[in-house]
Amino acid sequence: MKLISGPLSMFGAKAQIAIAEKGIDCEIEMVPFSLQHRYTPLHSDVERLNPKKQVPLLLDGEVEIFDSTQIFEYLEHKFPSPALWPENTVRRAQARLLELKSDEVFFQDFKTLMTAAGNTGTPEAQAAIASMDRYYEEIDGLLVSGDWLAGSYSYADIAFFCATWFASILGGAPRPVFRHLAAWQRRMAERPAVSGTTQEISAFLTQNGVPVPAV
Ligand SMILES: N[C@@H](CCC(=O)N[C@@H](CS)C(=O)NCC(=O)O)C(=O)O
């Protein structure tokens, strides 16, 4: 099995953490990426397999798929243990929705901060930070009564941890006032699967003179 990702890919980090959590023997190949030239030249498998021209991709024999959530689904079916979707039907539905919200709702504000490229003083960036703050408050509320976002540790935690970690690079870190969220971030960061992945990304950030998130 091979994961094709990028050294600064939030969605790739999701897949990398899930692979590590499940202890899967998987080669990880990083496509060419630089802060200046981004993903050009495009990796040949990305060109061939993904009409959206994005990473991550997962190659496993005749299975050649893209999109981190699709990769989660494949990993869960092929390697059911340890389970990364909650067993309980209600909790599972909540976890799936939270995973989607990380990738598609929270990510909209994240994209605004990416476009701002460090200039967080613009009205657009300030609006994105305010919107993220409201979402952080919602998540903090979920974590009052439990260690994980949807009962048991799940893909929802992996996705949102990656979103907050990368948002922190862009000036969108959660405020410490959200103490349940802060404690959850620390719990996440202590997991070997998570710290192994963030250490690799941190090395890339350091090489490129970009400050590493505190968590
Ligand atoms: N929904 C996709 C998003 C993938 C994505 O946005 N990948 C980024 C890197 S994190 C990428 O390859 N961007 C290059 C581009 O869009 O040109 C997923 O979950 O995998």
Side-chain angles (χ1 to χ4, degrees):
M1 185 181 285
K2 188 202 270 192
L3 177 75
I4 299 181
S5 184
L8 202 52
S9 167
M10 181 182 92
F11 295 99
K14 285 174 59 187
Q16 224 177 313
I17 292 171
I19 286 166
E21 291 288 5
K22 287 184 175 283
I24 300 166
D25 182 15
C26 179
E27 179 189 347
I28 303 203
E29 180 183 343
M30 293 298 170
V31 301
F33 175 87
S34 69
L35 294 180
Q36 198 186 359
H37 301 291
R38 311 283 301 164
Y39 288 92
T40 50
L42 205 54
H43 186 279
S44 56
D45 283 328
V46 178
E47 178 77 60
R48 179 174 68 87
L49 291 170
N50 188 349
K52 296 171 90 172
K53 311 296 182 206
Q54 293 173 332
V55 289
L57 305 175
L58 189 78
L59 312 183
D60 187 26
E62 59 187 323
V63 172
E64 297 182 315
I65 56 175
F66 62 87
D67 192 281
S68 57
T69 307
Q70 295 294 317
I71 293 171
F72 281 174
E73 293 305 320
Y74 180 70
L75 296 178
E76 197 61 17
H77 281 285
K78 183 154 179 174
F79 305 97
S81 179
L84 289 174
W85 285 124
E87 182 63 31
N88 175 280
T89 306
V90 173
R91 290 308 217 170
R92 184 176 290 215
Q94 290 167 341
R96 285 186 189 279
L97 185 64
L98 285 164
E99 198 264 345
L100 178 134
K101 283 168 92 173
S102 289
D103 284 15
E104 294 186 24
V105 181
F106 184 85
F107 188 62
Q108 296 308 318
D109 294 319
F110 182 102
K111 272 204 294 202
T112 304
L113 291 191
M114 270 205 299
T115 307
N119 185 5
T120 50
T122 64
E124 293 79 11
Q126 284 296 307
I129 288 171
S131 168
M132 283 173 151
D133 198 63
R134 286 191 293 276
Y135 193 60
Y136 287 145
E137 186 174 10
E138 188 182 322
I139 295 290
D140 190 64
L142 286 182
L143 290 164
V144 170
S145 55
D147 281 355
W148 308 113
L149 293 181
S152 54
Y153 176 69
S154 76
Y155 292 112
D157 296 285
I158 296 173
F160 192 58
F161 180 81
C162 291
T164 57
W165 200 82
F166 280 83
S168 302
I169 301 172
L170 300 169
R175 289 185 294 129
V177 67
F178 301 129
R179 57 190 181 86
H180 304 288
L181 172 53
W184 167 86
Q185 283 182 301
R186 288 193 294 274
R187 265 193 301 285
M188 287 295 295
E190 280 167 8
R191 296 184 74 87
V194 174
S195 63
T197 302
T198 54
Q199 275 163 20
E200 281 179 36
I201 304 164
S202 298
F204 181 88
L205 291 172
T206 303
Q207 275 160 24
N208 285 276
V210 180
V212 170
V215 185

